[in-house]
Amino acid sequence: METFKEKIGEISLFLFLGLIVSGLSEYLKSDFLDDFFKHNLMEVLVVMFSINITVIGLTVTKIKEFAGERMRIFAPVISELRLTIWYQIVIIAVSLLLLIICDSSAFVCAYPMGTLIINAILSAGLFYNIEVLRDTATAIFRLFDEESK
């Protein structure tokens, strides 16, 4: 399980990467990021969430088959899987809120650099979701490797 310090470091990394991507988009005067977020982000996040839920369900089933009576040994793993579900739900909710704010003409007029910051946060959320899928896939491969021994 990750410590609080590690989680803050991970979030900081994704925010930094999001700021780089958002800043690059602004510097190049590209509308791609704005258009992608406005038209596709929610669908992508929900699809990634659905994939993760499915994979977690399969993983927990395999863990139960593999662990049998020793299921309590895997309690921290299952707890971590539950936590990733909550992280994704929070990211979807925050992304929806940020997209609503970013689409507001009052916000854009009042905070010209606000779109840059919001796009950085949205990018960080997208990157984090990709990391969640990568981490879940890695766990599954480890589980299947253990099962084949």
Side-chain angles (χ1 to χ4, degrees):
M1 247 180 141
E2 279 185 321
T3 65
F4 180 72
K5 195 177 197 178
E6 290 170 333
K7 184 54 74 181
I8 293 297
E10 186 179 44
I11 291 169
S12 298
L13 172 66
F14 290 128
L15 284 171
F16 179 71
L17 291 174
L19 191 57
I20 289 173
V21 169
S22 183
L24 183 62
S25 178
E26 286 284 324
Y27 176 75
L28 296 174
K29 301 197 184 323
S30 170
D31 291 333
F32 175 78
L33 207 54
D34 292 329
D35 292 341
F36 175 77
F37 288 154
K38 187 174 186 177
H39 299 291
N40 302 311
L41 182 63
M42 293 309 295
E43 291 86 358
V44 169
L45 291 177
V46 170
V47 166
M48 292 172 86
F49 179 67
S50 300
I51 291 169
N52 198 38
I53 290 288
T54 303
V55 169
I56 285 173
L58 293 170
T59 304
V60 170
T61 301
K62 269 299 187 194
I63 287 172
K64 284 182 179 181
E65 287 175 15
F66 182 70
E69 298 291 320
R70 303 168 296 171
M71 190 62 190
R72 69 180 176 279
I73 295 170
F74 291 96
V77 173
I78 293 171
S79 177
E80 188 70 26
L81 291 172
R82 280 191 194 116
L83 195 56
T84 64
I85 292 169
W86 281 110
Y87 288 153
Q88 285 187 293
I89 290 170
V90 168
I91 288 171
I92 290 169
V94 168
S95 295
L96 180 62
L97 180 65
L98 290 175
L99 287 169
I100 291 169
I101 292 169
C102 198
D103 197 44
S104 163
S105 58
F107 174 79
V108 173
C109 292
Y111 304 100
M113 293 300 290
T115 302
L116 172 82
I117 294 166
I118 287 178
N119 282 348
I121 295 168
L122 292 172
S123 295
L126 181 62
F127 295 153
Y128 181 77
N129 267 305
I130 292 169
E131 170 61 17
V132 165
L133 288 179
R134 187 210 58 80
D135 190 43
T136 305
T138 301
I140 288 173
F141 288 125
R142 279 194 212 136
L143 187 62
F144 286 131
D145 286 345
E146 286 296 319
E147 186 180 48
S148 66
K149 288 183 181 179

